[in-house]
């Protein structure tokens, strides 16, 4: 999309050729797909592998440690599930070779936020139940940067989605105006 004001763009819309109309429809349909470079595709493959390994480690610790209290065992089980979810999402993106900014972005942002909030809840519960208050406070304070980072990531995602939504609406408006001008 160019930087012309909306009024100038609307006045400039004239009956489109078939090629221009198809290009506009193609832009609208491809707006949310971003092809991955080989490096980015490899990155998602590595993320999938690391997430799968971390899921296995968390599950193994949750299942095999006999003296582990219920709270850390539950946290490890939740970590294992999130590791599996990350592995599936990253593997799908890697396999597809493209990032669907709308759907994949929503999944990733939701996983980041939910996982961080759950882990922070576990940190709070463990910190408040710690015998040494200073150690409990350090545990809680150690989770806060992650919570802040997840909040910033979520806000960035929402801003990006609002921008994409506005661009999509402008393209739809252009397409509608082109169709209306062709009918005259």
């Amino acid at each position: 999309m160019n930087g012309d004001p909306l009024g100038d763009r609307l006045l400039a819309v004239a009956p489109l050729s078939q090629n221009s109309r198809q290009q506009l429809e193609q832009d609208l349909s491809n707006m949310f797909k971003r092809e991955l470079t080989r490096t980015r595709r490899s990155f998602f493959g590595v993320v999938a592998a690391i997430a799968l390994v971390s899921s296995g480690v968390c599950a193994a610790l949750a299942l095999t440690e006999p003296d582990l209290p219920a709270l850390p065992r539950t946290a490890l089980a939740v970590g294992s599930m999130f590791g599996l979810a990350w592995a599936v999402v990253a593997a799908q993106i890697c396999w597809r070779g493209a990032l669907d900014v709308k759907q994949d972005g929503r999944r990733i942002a939701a996983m980041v936020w939910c996982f961080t909030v759950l882990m922070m809840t576990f940190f709070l519960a463990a910190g408040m139940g710690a015998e040494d208050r200073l150690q409990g406070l350090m545990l809680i304070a150690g989770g806060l940067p992650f919570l802040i980072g997840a909040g910033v990531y979520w806000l960035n995602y929402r801003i990006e989605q609002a921008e994409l939504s506005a661009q999509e609406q402008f393209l739809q408006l252009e397409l509608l105006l082109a169709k209306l001008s062709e009918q005259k």
Side-chain angles (χ1 to χ4, degrees):
M1 296 187 65
N2 55 29
D4 296 338
L6 177 61
D8 294 342
R9 292 177 66 197
L10 293 176
L11 290 174
V13 173
L16 292 176
S17 67
Q18 185 66 16
N19 289 341
S20 297
R21 187 165 180 249
Q22 286 176 345
Q23 180 62 38
L24 194 55
E25 288 174 349
Q26 185 70 26
D27 287 348
L28 192 56
S29 68
N30 288 338
M31 183 176 201
F32 298 107
K33 302 282 186 210
R34 295 204 180 126
E35 294 295 320
L36 298 177
T37 63
R38 184 177 293 173
T39 304
R40 297 269 302 180
R41 197 171 184 175
S42 299
F43 171 76
F44 279 104
V46 169
V47 168
I50 290 172
L52 193 59
V53 168
S54 70
S55 175
V57 168
C58 287
L61 287 172
L63 294 172
T64 61
E65 288 299 314
D67 297 331
L68 197 61
L71 184 65
R73 189 176 305 279
T74 304
L76 285 169
V78 168
S80 178
M81 289 186 289
F82 272 100
L84 282 176
W86 270 106
V88 167
V89 170
Q92 286 176 341
I93 294 169
C94 180
W95 184 263
R96 204 180 324 127
L99 181 67
D100 183 333
V101 177
K102 204 171 201 175
Q103 288 183 337
D104 293 332
R106 184 182 309 121
R107 282 187 200 129
I108 291 170
M111 286 191 312
V112 166
W113 180 248
C114 290
F115 177 73
T116 305
V117 167
L118 278 172
M119 286 292 111
M120 191 61 202
T121 302
F122 290 130
F123 288 164
L124 284 168
M128 292 178 76
E131 291 180 25
D132 181 4
R133 288 292 190 205
L134 182 59
Q135 187 179 17
L137 182 61
M138 288 177 23
L139 183 63
I140 294 169
L144 287 176
F146 294 105
L147 187 63
I148 291 168
V152 168
Y153 185 84
W154 181 256
L155 287 174
N156 185 48
Y157 160 75
R158 297 296 297 171
I159 290 167
E160 182 179 303
Q161 290 303 306
E163 290 172 353
L164 285 172
S165 179
Q167 289 177 351
E168 180 183 30
Q169 289 173 355
F170 282 133
L171 281 175
Q172 288 174 341
L173 182 60
E174 284 183 47
L175 186 58
L176 177 64
L177 288 173
K179 286 178 182 178
L180 288 173
S181 65
E182 285 177 354
Q183 293 174 357
K184 289 183 180 182

